[in-house]
Amino acid sequence: MRWTLVTGASGFVGSRLVRALVDRGEAVKAFVHAGSSLSSFEGLPRDRFELAFGDVRVEHTVYRALASCERLYHVAASEEASSPPGSPAPSESPAVTRAVLGAARKRRLRRVVLTRSAAALVGTEAAEPLTEDGLDARGADLDAGVPLVTVLPACAIGPGDRRPACLSALIARYLRLPPSARVPLAPGGVSVVDVDDVLEGTMLAMQRGQPGERYLLGGENLNYEQLFTLLHGLTGLARPGRVQRKPALGVHAAWLGIKATLQGDEPLLTARLLRDYSEKYVFVSSAKAQRELGYSFRQAREALARAVLWFLEQGYVPEHAARRVRLELRPA
């Protein structure tokens, strides 16, 4: 039996990818650090699923895990990317990717798909979707001798996210706001993409992607007013306020921080979010992936609804706040 290795398998996208591949009949090895949570792998068939322990920074541990493998999904390059788009991701370093691809070269794998983090997507002042031609080219010299396809998803949201970051963290904080609140808005926007659409695009890249090519996997591009208008419509919670510039938002963020501290909660708007998101558009064009891979994505409303339901079901939202969410959002 020929196997597929998934690095970063204990993370949000990685764990969900492992299960999706197994559900499709593939034999999968999940590459994880010793001590990682393994709860997401419960119930997987033992004849088509194995654990492989090691460190993506240490080439020989990856090489050992790649025994009997034909293909590799290197998701670990993005799984620790808790920083917003445009900020450095702690695990996305050339050394990590070089170690993994070095092992892949020695094993002479048939295909490698590298998932680069959303931190590679740098926001712009104009509301123009980013294309592959405008991407940062860091790491492009690491694929020599490896049949490598690179995918760059926007910040994925949805079921399975146990450590919400980026857009997911913003949604979780929004759900704790009272209905009477008004969400402070900044100019800018994000691409809203469901995790299962990212997974489908990643698997399509393995099947149909051209070695040496990069594919952006985004969703519906929304400015912040559109985003919070959708969330309000789904939940009946806080309405979007008026759009403000950084100086006014800075004062607002400071006041929200003091209020949240007194209430023992996290503010919706922080100095870090203001710095990294305000007046920046992280819009993505998925036209190339749609054209060459057959990639598609669901509407933002559905993606947001699935993320909200996940947070409610998993207890990320206090019960007093969860009760306020409209009944039509609850599972039947």
Side-chain angles (χ1 to χ4, degrees), residues 128-209:
E128 295 294 330
L130 180 70
T131 66
E132 286 79 4
D133 291 337
L135 290 174
D136 179 359
R138 285 176 303 165
D141 60 335
L142 296 175
D143 61 348
V146 178
L148 178 68
V149 180
T150 302
V151 294
L152 296 99
C155 285
I157 61 174
D161 193 352
R162 292 178 170 81
R163 291 190 301 169
C166 298
L167 181 55
S168 288
L170 197 63
I171 295 169
R173 291 175 184 175
Y174 170 84
L175 293 174
R176 296 197 292 268
L177 293 178
S180 59
R182 292 292 183 268
V183 179
L185 298 177
V190 292
S191 187
V192 180
V193 62
D194 189 274
V195 62
D196 286 348
D197 295 334
V198 168
L199 295 182
E200 185 65 27
T202 302
M203 292 185 287
L204 286 169
M206 181 66 79
Q207 299 166 12
R208 305 175 185 174

Coordinates of all heavy atoms in Angstrom, one line a residue, residues 128-209:
E128 N -8.3 45.8 -4.4 CA -8.1 45.0 -5.6 C -7.6 43.6 -5.2 O -6.7 43.4 -4.4 CB -7.0 45.7 -6.5 CG -7.4 47.0 -7.0 CD -8.5 46.9 -8.1 OE1 -8.6 45.8 -8.7 OE2 -9.3 47.9 -8.2
P129 N -8.3 42.5 -5.8 CA -7.9 41.2 -5.4 C -6.5 40.8 -5.8 O -6.0 41.2 -6.9 CB -8.9 40.3 -6.2 CG -10.0 41.2 -6.5 CD -9.4 42.6 -6.7
L130 N -5.8 40.2 -4.9 CA -4.4 39.7 -5.1 C -4.4 38.5 -6.1 O -5.3 37.7 -6.0 CB -3.8 39.3 -3.8 CG -2.3 38.8 -3.8 CD1 -1.4 39.9 -4.1 CD2 -2.0 38.1 -2.5
T131 N -3.5 38.5 -7.0 CA -3.3 37.4 -7.9 C -2.0 36.7 -7.7 O -1.1 37.3 -7.0 CB -3.4 37.8 -9.4 OG1 -2.3 38.7 -9.7 CG2 -4.7 38.6 -9.7
E132 N -1.8 35.6 -8.3 CA -0.5 34.9 -8.2 C 0.7 35.7 -8.6 O 1.8 35.6 -8.1 CB -0.6 33.5 -8.9 CG -1.4 32.5 -8.3 CD -2.9 32.6 -8.5 OE1 -3.3 33.6 -9.3 OE2 -3.7 31.8 -8.0
D133 N 0.5 36.5 -9.6 CA 1.6 37.4 -10.1 C 2.0 38.4 -9.1 O 3.2 38.9 -9.2 CB 1.1 38.1 -11.4 CG 0.9 37.1 -12.6 OD1 1.5 36.0 -12.5 OD2 0.2 37.5 -13.5
G134 N 1.2 38.7 -8.2 CA 1.5 39.7 -7.2 C 2.0 39.2 -5.9 O 2.2 39.9 -4.9
L135 N 2.2 37.8 -5.8 CA 2.6 37.2 -4.6 C 4.1 37.4 -4.2 O 4.9 37.6 -5.1 CB 2.4 35.7 -4.7 CG 1.0 35.2 -4.7 CD1 0.9 33.7 -4.9 CD2 0.3 35.5 -3.3
D136 N 4.4 37.4 -2.9 CA 5.7 37.4 -2.5 C 6.4 36.1 -2.9 O 5.8 35.1 -2.8 CB 5.7 37.5 -0.9 CG 7.1 37.5 -0.3 OD1 8.1 37.4 -1.1 OD2 7.2 37.6 0.9
A137 N 7.6 36.2 -3.5 CA 8.2 35.0 -4.1 C 9.2 34.3 -3.1 O 9.9 33.5 -3.6 CB 9.0 35.4 -5.4
R138 N 9.1 34.6 -1.8 CA 10.0 34.0 -0.9 C 9.8 32.4 -1.0 O 8.7 31.9 -1.0 CB 9.7 34.4 0.5 CG 10.2 35.8 0.9 CD 9.8 36.1 2.3 NE 8.3 36.1 2.4 CZ 7.7 36.0 3.6 NH1 8.4 36.1 4.7 NH2 6.4 36.0 3.6
G139 N 10.9 31.7 -0.9 CA 10.8 30.3 -0.9 C 10.7 29.6 -2.3 O 10.7 28.4 -2.4
A140 N 10.7 30.4 -3.3 CA 10.5 29.9 -4.7 C 11.7 29.1 -5.1 O 11.6 28.2 -6.0 CB 10.3 31.0 -5.7
D141 N 12.9 29.3 -4.4 CA 14.1 28.5 -4.8 C 14.2 27.2 -4.1 O 15.2 26.5 -4.2 CB 15.3 29.4 -4.5 CG 15.4 29.8 -3.1 OD1 14.4 29.8 -2.4 OD2 16.6 30.0 -2.6
L142 N 13.2 26.9 -3.3 CA 13.3 25.7 -2.4 C 12.7 24.4 -3.1 O 12.8 23.3 -2.6 CB 12.5 25.9 -1.1 CG 13.1 27.0 -0.2 CD1 12.1 27.1 1.0 CD2 14.5 26.6 0.3
D143 N 12.2 24.6 -4.3 CA 11.5 23.5 -4.9 C 12.3 22.7 -6.0 O 11.8 21.9 -6.7 CB 10.1 23.9 -5.5 CG 10.3 25.0 -6.6 OD1 11.4 25.5 -6.7 OD2 9.3 25.3 -7.3
A144 N 13.6 23.1 -6.1 CA 14.4 22.4 -7.1 C 14.4 20.9 -6.9 O 14.7 20.4 -5.8 CB 15.8 23.0 -7.1
G145 N 14.1 20.1 -7.9 CA 14.1 18.7 -7.8 C 12.9 18.0 -7.2 O 12.9 16.8 -7.0
V146 N 11.9 18.8 -6.8 CA 10.7 18.3 -6.2 C 9.5 18.7 -7.0 O 9.4 19.8 -7.4 CB 10.5 18.9 -4.7 CG1 9.2 18.4 -4.1 CG2 11.7 18.5 -3.9
P147 N 8.6 17.7 -7.4 CA 7.4 18.1 -8.1 C 6.4 18.8 -7.2 O 5.5 18.2 -6.7 CB 6.9 16.7 -8.6 CG 7.4 15.7 -7.5 CD 8.7 16.3 -7.1
L148 N 6.7 20.1 -7.0 CA 6.0 20.8 -6.0 C 4.9 21.8 -6.6 O 5.1 22.5 -7.5 CB 7.0 21.7 -5.2 CG 6.5 22.6 -4.1 CD1 6.0 21.8 -3.0 CD2 7.6 23.6 -3.7
V149 N 3.7 21.7 -5.9 CA 2.6 22.6 -6.2 C 2.3 23.4 -4.9 O 2.3 22.8 -3.9 CB 1.4 21.9 -6.7 CG1 0.2 22.8 -7.0 CG2 1.7 21.0 -7.9
T150 N 2.2 24.7 -5.0 CA 2.0 25.5 -3.8 C 0.5 26.1 -3.8 O 0.1 26.6 -4.9 CB 3.0 26.7 -3.8 OG1 4.3 26.1 -3.8 CG2 2.7 27.5 -2.5
V151 N -0.1 25.9 -2.7 CA -1.5 26.6 -2.5 C -1.4 27.6 -1.4 O -0.6 27.4 -0.5 CB -2.6 25.6 -2.2 CG1 -2.8 24.6 -3.4 CG2 -2.3 24.8 -0.9
L152 N -2.1 28.7 -1.6 CA -2.1 29.8 -0.6 C -3.5 30.1 -0.3 O -4.2 30.9 -1.0 CB -1.4 31.0 -1.2 CG 0.1 30.9 -1.5 CD1 0.4 30.6 -2.9 CD2 0.9 32.1 -1.0
P153 N -4.1 29.5 0.7 CA -5.4 29.8 1.1 C -5.5 31.1 1.9 O -4.6 31.5 2.6 CB -5.8 28.6 2.0 CG -4.5 28.1 2.6 CD -3.5 28.4 1.5
A154 N -6.6 31.8 1.8 CA -7.0 32.9 2.7 C -7.2 32.3 4.1 O -7.2 31.1 4.2 CB -8.2 33.7 2.2
C155 N -7.4 33.1 5.1 CA -7.7 32.6 6.4 C -9.0 31.8 6.4 O -10.1 32.4 6.3 CB -7.8 33.8 7.4 SG -6.3 34.6 7.8
A156 N -8.9 30.5 6.6 CA -10.0 29.6 6.5 C -10.8 29.7 7.8 O -10.2 29.8 8.9 CB -9.6 28.2 6.2
I157 N -12.1 29.5 7.7 CA -13.0 29.5 8.9 C -13.9 28.2 8.8 O -14.0 27.7 7.7 CB -13.8 30.7 9.0 CG1 -14.8 30.9 7.8 CG2 -13.0 32.0 9.2 CD1 -15.8 32.0 7.9
G158 N -14.4 27.8 9.9 CA -15.4 26.7 9.8 C -15.2 25.7 10.9 O -14.4 25.8 11.8
P159 N -15.9 24.5 10.7 CA -15.8 23.5 11.7 C -14.4 22.9 11.9 O -13.6 22.8 10.9 CB -16.7 22.4 11.1 CG -17.6 23.1 10.2 CD -16.8 24.3 9.6
G160 N -14.1 22.5 13.1 CA -12.8 22.0 13.4 C -11.8 22.9 13.9 O -10.7 22.5 14.3
D161 N -12.1 24.2 14.0 CA -11.1 25.2 14.4 C -11.1 25.3 15.9 O -11.9 26.0 16.5 CB -11.5 26.6 13.8 CG -10.3 27.6 13.9 OD1 -9.3 27.3 14.6 OD2 -10.4 28.7 13.3
R162 N -10.1 24.7 16.5 CA -10.0 24.6 18.0 C -9.1 25.7 18.5 O -9.0 25.9 19.8 CB -9.5 23.2 18.4 CG -10.6 22.2 18.2 CD -10.1 20.8 18.6 NE -11.1 19.8 18.5 CZ -11.6 19.2 17.4 NH1 -11.0 19.5 16.2 NH2 -12.6 18.3 17.4
R163 N -8.4 26.4 17.7 CA -7.5 27.5 18.1 C -7.8 28.7 17.2 O -6.9 29.0 16.4 CB -6.0 27.1 18.1 CG -5.7 26.1 19.2 CD -4.2 25.9 19.3 NE -3.6 25.5 18.0 CZ -2.3 25.4 17.7 NH1 -1.4 25.8 18.6 NH2 -1.8 25.0 16.5
P164 N -8.9 29.3 17.4 CA -9.3 30.4 16.4 C -8.3 31.5 16.4 O -7.8 32.0 17.4 CB -10.6 30.9 16.9 CG -10.7 30.4 18.3 CD -9.9 29.1 18.4
A165 N -7.9 31.9 15.1 CA -7.0 33.0 14.9 C -7.5 33.8 13.7 O -8.4 33.4 13.0 CB -5.6 32.5 14.6
C166 N -6.9 34.9 13.5 CA -7.3 35.8 12.3 C -8.8 36.0 12.3 O -9.3 36.4 13.3 CB -6.8 35.1 11.0 SG -5.0 34.9 10.9
L167 N -9.4 35.7 11.2 CA -10.8 36.0 11.0 C -11.7 35.2 12.0 O -12.7 35.7 12.5 CB -11.3 35.7 9.6 CG -12.7 36.0 9.2 CD1 -13.2 37.4 9.6 CD2 -13.0 35.7 7.8
S168 N -11.3 33.9 12.3 CA -12.0 33.1 13.2 C -12.1 33.7 14.6 O -13.1 33.7 15.3 CB -11.4 31.7 13.3 OG -11.7 31.0 12.2
A169 N -11.0 34.3 15.1 CA -10.9 34.9 16.4 C -11.8 36.1 16.4 O -12.5 36.4 17.4 CB -9.5 35.3 16.7
L170 N -11.9 36.9 15.3 CA -12.7 38.0 15.2 C -14.2 37.6 15.3 O -15.0 38.3 16.0 CB -12.5 38.8 13.9 CG -13.0 40.2 13.8 CD1 -12.3 41.1 14.8 CD2 -12.7 40.7 12.4
I171 N -14.6 36.5 14.6 CA -16.0 36.0 14.7 C -16.3 35.6 16.1 O -17.4 35.9 16.6 CB -16.2 34.9 13.7 CG1 -16.0 35.4 12.3 CG2 -17.5 34.2 13.9 CD1 -15.9 34.3 11.2
A172 N -15.4 34.9 16.8 CA -15.7 34.4 18.1 C -15.9 35.6 19.1 O -16.7 35.5 20.0 CB -14.5 33.5 18.6
R173 N -15.1 36.6 18.9 CA -15.2 37.8 19.8 C -16.5 38.5 19.5 O -17.2 39.0 20.4 CB -14.0 38.7 19.6 CG -12.7 38.2 20.1 CD -11.6 39.1 19.8 NE -10.3 38.5 20.3 CZ -9.1 39.1 20.0 NH1 -9.1 40.2 19.4 NH2 -8.0 38.5 20.5
Y174 N -16.9 38.6 18.2 CA -18.2 39.2 17.8 C -19.3 38.6 18.5 O -20.3 39.2 19.0 CB -18.3 39.2 16.3 CG -19.7 39.6 15.9 CD1 -20.0 41.0 15.7 CD2 -20.7 38.7 15.6 CE1 -21.3 41.4 15.3 CE2 -22.0 39.1 15.2 CZ -22.2 40.4 15.1 OH -23.5 40.8 14.7
L175 N -19.3 37.3 18.6 CA -20.5 36.5 19.2 C -20.7 36.8 20.7 O -21.8 36.5 21.2 CB -20.3 35.0 19.0 CG -20.3 34.5 17.6 CD1 -19.9 33.1 17.5 CD2 -21.7 34.8 16.9
R176 N -19.7 37.4 21.3 CA -19.9 37.8 22.7 C -20.4 39.2 22.9 O -20.6 39.6 24.1 CB -18.6 37.6 23.5 CG -18.1 36.1 23.5 CD -17.1 35.9 24.6 NE -15.8 36.6 24.3 CZ -14.8 36.0 23.6 NH1 -14.9 34.8 23.2 NH2 -13.7 36.7 23.4
L177 N -20.6 40.0 21.8 CA -21.0 41.3 22.0 C -22.6 41.4 22.2 O -23.3 40.5 21.7 CB -20.8 42.1 20.7 CG -19.3 42.4 20.3 CD1 -19.2 43.1 19.0 CD2 -18.6 43.2 21.4
P178 N -23.0 42.3 23.0 CA -24.5 42.4 23.2 C -25.2 43.0 21.9 O -24.5 43.7 21.1 CB -24.6 43.5 24.3 CG -23.3 44.2 24.3 CD -22.3 43.3 23.8
P179 N -26.4 42.6 21.7 CA -27.1 43.1 20.5 C -27.2 44.6 20.4 O -27.3 45.1 19.3 CB -28.6 42.5 20.7 CG -28.4 41.4 21.7 CD -27.3 41.8 22.6
S180 N -27.1 45.3 21.5 CA -27.1 46.8 21.5 C -25.8 47.4 21.0 O -25.8 48.6 20.7 CB -27.5 47.3 22.8 OG -26.5 46.9 23.8
A181 N -24.8 46.6 20.9 CA -23.4 47.2 20.6 C -23.4 47.6 19.1 O -24.2 47.1 18.3 CB -22.4 46.2 20.9
R182 N -22.4 48.4 18.8 CA -22.1 48.8 17.4 C -20.7 48.4 17.2 O -19.8 48.8 18.0 CB -22.4 50.3 17.2 CG -23.8 50.7 17.2 CD -24.6 50.1 16.1 NE -26.0 50.5 16.1 CZ -27.0 49.9 16.6 NH1 -26.7 48.8 17.3 NH2 -28.2 50.3 16.6
V183 N -20.4 47.7 16.1 CA -19.1 47.3 15.8 C -18.3 48.4 15.1 O -18.7 48.9 14.1 CB -19.1 46.1 14.8 CG1 -17.7 45.6 14.5 CG2 -19.9 44.9 15.4
P184 N -17.2 48.8 15.7 CA -16.3 49.9 15.1 C -15.7 49.3 13.8 O -15.2 48.2 13.8 CB -15.3 50.2 16.1 CG -15.2 48.9 16.9 CD -16.6 48.3 17.0
L185 N -15.9 50.1 12.7 CA -15.4 49.6 11.4 C -14.2 50.4 10.9 O -14.1 51.6 11.1 CB -16.5 49.7 10.4 CG -17.8 48.9 10.6 CD1 -18.8 49.2 9.5 CD2 -17.4 47.4 10.6
A186 N -13.3 49.7 10.3 CA -12.2 50.4 9.6 C -12.3 50.2 8.1 O -12.9 49.2 7.7 CB -10.8 49.8 10.1
P187 N -11.7 51.0 7.3 CA -11.6 50.7 5.9 C -10.8 49.4 5.7 O -9.8 49.2 6.4 CB -10.9 51.9 5.3 CG -11.0 53.0 6.3 CD -11.1 52.3 7.6
G188 N -11.1 48.6 4.8 CA -10.4 47.4 4.5 C -11.4 46.2 4.4 O -12.6 46.4 4.4
G189 N -10.8 45.0 4.2 CA -11.6 43.8 4.0 C -10.8 42.6 3.9 O -9.6 42.6 3.9
V190 N -11.5 41.4 3.9 CA -10.9 40.1 3.9 C -11.6 39.2 2.9 O -12.7 39.5 2.5 CB -10.9 39.5 5.3 CG1 -10.0 40.2 6.2 CG2 -12.3 39.4 5.8
S191 N -10.9 38.1 2.6 CA -11.5 37.1 1.8 C -12.1 36.0 2.7 O -11.3 35.5 3.5 CB -10.5 36.5 0.8 OG -11.1 35.5 -0.1
V192 N -13.3 35.7 2.6 CA -14.0 34.8 3.5 C -14.1 33.4 2.9 O -14.9 33.2 1.9 CB -15.4 35.3 3.9 CG1 -16.1 34.3 4.9 CG2 -15.3 36.7 4.6
V193 N -13.4 32.4 3.4 CA -13.4 31.1 2.7 C -13.6 30.0 3.8 O -13.0 30.0 4.8 CB -12.0 30.9 1.9 CG1 -10.8 30.9 2.8 CG2 -12.1 29.6 1.1
D194 N -14.4 29.0 3.4 CA -14.7 27.9 4.3 C -13.5 26.9 4.2 O -12.9 26.6 3.2 CB -16.0 27.2 3.9 CG -16.4 26.2 4.9 OD1 -16.0 25.0 4.7 OD2 -17.3 26.5 5.7
V195 N -13.2 26.3 5.4 CA -12.1 25.3 5.5 C -12.3 24.2 4.5 O -11.3 23.7 3.9 CB -11.9 24.8 6.9 CG1 -13.1 24.1 7.4 CG2 -10.7 24.0 7.0
D196 N -13.5 23.7 4.3 CA -13.7 22.5 3.5 C -13.5 22.9 2.0 O -13.1 22.0 1.2 CB -15.1 21.9 3.7 CG -15.2 21.2 5.0 OD1 -14.1 20.9 5.6 OD2 -16.3 20.8 5.4
D197 N -13.7 24.1 1.6 CA -13.4 24.6 0.3 C -11.9 24.6 0.1 O -11.4 24.3 -1.0 CB -14.0 26.0 0.0 CG -15.5 25.9 0.0 OD1 -16.1 24.8 -0.3 OD2 -16.2 27.0 0.3
V198 N -11.2 25.1 1.1 CA -9.7 25.1 1.1 C -9.2 23.6 0.9 O -8.3 23.4 0.1 CB -9.1 25.7 2.3 CG1 -7.6 25.5 2.4 CG2 -9.4 27.2 2.3
L199 N -9.8 22.7 1.7 CA -9.4 21.3 1.6 C -9.6 20.8 0.2 O -8.7 20.1 -0.4 CB -10.1 20.4 2.6 CG -9.9 20.7 4.1 CD1 -10.7 19.8 4.9 CD2 -8.5 20.6 4.4
E200 N -10.7 21.1 -0.4 CA -11.0 20.6 -1.7 C -10.0 21.1 -2.7 O -9.5 20.4 -3.6 CB -12.5 21.0 -2.1 CG -12.9 20.4 -3.5 CD -13.0 18.9 -3.5 OE1 -13.2 18.3 -2.4 OE2 -12.8 18.3 -4.6
G201 N -9.7 22.4 -2.6 CA -8.7 23.0 -3.5 C -7.4 22.5 -3.3 O -6.6 22.3 -4.3
T202 N -7.0 22.1 -2.1 CA -5.7 21.5 -1.8 C -5.6 20.1 -2.4 O -4.6 19.8 -3.0 CB -5.5 21.4 -0.3 OG1 -5.6 22.7 0.3 CG2 -4.1 20.8 0.0
M203 N -6.7 19.3 -2.3 CA -6.7 18.0 -2.9 C -6.7 18.1 -4.5 O -6.1 17.3 -5.1 CB -7.8 17.2 -2.4 CG -7.7 16.8 -0.9 SD -8.9 15.7 -0.2 CE -10.3 16.9 -0.1
L204 N -7.4 19.1 -5.0 CA -7.4 19.3 -6.4 C -6.0 19.7 -6.9 O -5.6 19.3 -8.0 CB -8.4 20.4 -6.8 CG -9.9 20.0 -6.8 CD1 -10.7 21.2 -6.9 CD2 -10.2 18.9 -7.9
A205 N -5.3 20.4 -6.1 CA -3.9 20.8 -6.5 C -3.0 19.6 -6.6 O -2.1 19.5 -7.4 CB -3.3 21.8 -5.5
M206 N -3.2 18.6 -5.7 CA -2.5 17.3 -5.8 C -2.8 16.6 -7.0 O -1.9 16.0 -7.7 CB -2.8 16.5 -4.5 CG -2.1 15.1 -4.5 SD -0.3 15.3 -4.3 CE -0.1 15.6 -2.5
Q207 N -4.0 16.6 -7.5 CA -4.5 15.8 -8.6 C -4.1 16.6 -10.0 O -3.7 15.9 -10.9 CB -6.0 15.6 -8.6 CG -6.4 14.8 -7.4 CD -7.9 14.9 -7.2 OE1 -8.7 15.3 -8.0 NE2 -8.4 14.4 -6.0
R208 N -4.4 17.9 -10.0 CA -4.3 18.6 -11.3 C -3.3 19.7 -11.3 O -3.1 20.3 -12.4 CB -5.7 19.2 -11.5 CG -6.8 18.1 -11.5 CD -8.2 18.8 -11.7 NE -9.3 17.8 -11.6 CZ -10.6 18.2 -11.5 NH1 -10.9 19.4 -11.7 NH2 -11.5 17.2 -11.4
G209 N -2.8 20.1 -10.2 CA -1.8 21.3 -10.2 C -0.6 21.0 -11.0 O -0.1 19.9 -11.0

